[in-house]
Amino acid sequence: MITLTQLEYIVAVDTYRHFGKAAESCFITQPTLSMQIKKLEEDLEIIIFDRSKQPLIPTDVGQRIIEQARVVLKQSEELTNIVKDHKNQVSGMLRIGIIPTLAPYLLPIFIGRYKKKYPNIFIKVVEQTTDQIVNLLNKDLIDVGILVTPLGEQKIIEKPLFYEEMLIYVNPESELYKKKEITLKDIAIPEIWLLSDGHCFRDQVINLCSFLGTVDSQLPFHFEAGSLETLMNIVDREGGITLIPELAKLGMSEKRQENVRSFSNLKPLREVSLVYSRHFAKHKLINLLWREIKDAIPEELQNEQRGTVVEWK
C-alpha cells in the first residue's frame, strides 16, 4: 500500500537528486528514507530512480510517478486547508520568492502589515531571479513568487498585482538631463548602465530599446550590476543613465527624484504578478497576500490602461 510518507520521500529525492540531502529535508536518517523508497519500488515492481547516474535521476516511469505524487501531496494538503477554512483559521507556512528589482521597494510596504494581521502565518522570503523562482515553484520549494509577467509557463498561474512605469534615472551632467522630452531613441546610447544577465528588468530594457551589442564603449569601465541601487550610485558618480521601475522612486530623496525622467512618446510598464503552481493548495493564504499587496499599492499603479506593457521573454 502506497503511503503519503513514501510519496513525500520520492518527491524529496527528485527535488534534491541526493539521498542524503533529501533525508535531511525530511528530518529522517538516510537509511530510513532509502528503505522506504526501496519498499515502494518493490511493491510497485518498478525502479523509480536510476542510482547508477550521478546525480541520480528518475527513470521514465519514475518521473511519471513523481509528477503524480506531487499532485497527490498537494491535494492532501488541500484537505487540511478545507478544514481550516471551515473553522475560519488563517495559519500555516507561506514561502515567498521575490525578484531583486522588487524586493527592496515592495516588501517594506506590505510584509509587516500582513504579518501583524495574520500572526499565525509563518512567512519565509527568499530573493531570487525569475528563472530560479520558477524552478523553486516547480520543485515545490516555495509556494508563491512575486515577479514580472507574462511568463508563458503552462504549469504556472499568474495573478496580476500592478503595473509600474519604467523610468529613466539620469546623471545631471548628461545631455538627457537638460531635455524636456525624452524618447525611446534617446536612451539607446552607449552611456546606459544595465543590470547583469538573469534579471528580467535588463531584458525589458533591451526589448524596449530594441538593441543588442556593445553598450559600454563610452563608459569609464565595464560593469554589470546585480541591484538597481548599485546602478543609481554608479550613475551618480560616473555619469550616464539607467532605467528604474516606478516603485524605486517612491522612497527616493527629493534630490534623487530630480534625476528621474519619464518618456514623452510612450509610457512603458512592467506587469507585476503573484505566480504559483496550478496545483497550489494554499488558496486562502495567497488570496490574502494578493489583497494585502493590492491595498498597499497606489491605485494609479493598478491601471493597466495607463501605458504599454513591455514583455521580457
Side-chain angles (χ1 to χ4, degrees), residues 10 47 49 54 56 58 64 73 78 87 91-92 102 112 121 126 142 148 157 169 182 190 203 214 218 231 293 300 304:
I10 63 172
I47 300 298
F49 293 103
Q54 291 296 329
L56 60 83
R64 293 175 61 190
L73 291 172
E78 181 65 15
K87 295 180 178 179
S91 62
L102 278 171
I121 298 178
V126 295
I142 59 173
V148 173
I157 294 174
Y169 187 77
I182 299 178
D203 296 328
T214 304
Q218 295 184 28
L231 283 181
I293 297 175
E300 64 184 59
E304 181 183 2

Side-chain angles (χ1 to χ4, degrees), residues 81 84-85 88-92 94 96 110-111 113-123 144 146 159 161 274 276 280 282-296:
N81 290 329
K84 286 183 178 179
D85 286 347
N88 201 28
Q89 295 177 349
V90 181
S91 62
L94 189 63
I96 304 171
F110 84 86
I111 199 70
R113 189 167 62 180
Y114 182 74
K115 181 59 181 173
K116 288 178 183 177
K117 191 177 289 188
Y118 309 107
N120 293 325
I121 298 178
F122 178 76
I123 303 169
V144 61
I146 307 175
K159 195 175 176 73
L161 287 162
L274 285 187
Y276 50 96
F280 186 75
K282 301 176 183 177
H283 296 290
K284 187 167 187 175
L285 297 189
I286 194 172
N287 286 331
L288 292 173
L289 178 65
W290 182 83
R291 184 73 268 164
E292 199 65 35
I293 297 175
K294 294 279 284 186
D295 289 345

Side-chain angles (χ1 to χ4, degrees), residues 157-272:
I157 294 174
E158 302 172 5
K159 195 175 176 73
L161 287 162
F162 59 93
Y163 303 86
E164 60 177 340
E165 186 178 354
M166 297 171 67
L167 302 169
I168 314 156
Y169 187 77
V170 189
N171 183 284
E173 296 181 6
S174 170
E175 290 296 322
L176 291 186
Y177 187 86
K178 305 168 187 175
K179 296 190 67 170
K180 292 182 179 180
E181 295 186 352
I182 299 178
T183 66
L184 292 179
K185 185 178 179 180
D186 292 326
I187 70 162
I189 56 176
E191 293 88 359
I192 186 170
W193 297 91
L194 298 176
L195 286 169
S196 56
D197 283 330
H199 292 272
C200 58
F201 194 68
R202 171 196 172 98
D203 296 328
Q204 282 182 302
V205 172
I206 290 175
N207 286 346
L208 187 63
C209 299
S210 297
F211 77 102
L212 284 167
T214 304
V215 297
D216 60 348
S217 60
Q218 295 184 28
L219 295 174
F221 54 90
H222 178 82
F223 179 73
E224 292 185 346
S227 78
L228 293 169
E229 289 298 317
T230 302
L231 283 181
M232 287 189 285
N233 288 334
I234 292 291
V235 169
D236 288 341
R237 290 183 173 272
E238 300 294 338
I241 68 168
T242 192
L243 265 67
I244 61 172
E246 193 169 357
L247 282 188
K249 182 184 176 183
L250 297 184
M252 259 185 202
S253 65
E254 291 185 7
K255 182 178 180 181
R256 264 198 162 174
Q257 287 191 24
E258 293 176 358
N259 299 339
V260 179
R261 300 287 186 274
S262 294
F263 290 101
S264 59
N265 62 334
L266 178 71
K267 183 174 281 190
L269 305 175
R270 69 171 186 167
E271 179 183 79
V272 177

Side-chain angles (χ1 to χ4, degrees), residues 89-107:
Q89 295 177 349
V90 181
S91 62
M93 174 181 282
L94 189 63
R95 302 164 298 175
I96 304 171
I98 186 169
I99 58 175
T101 55
L102 278 171
Y105 314 114
L106 182 59
L107 281 177

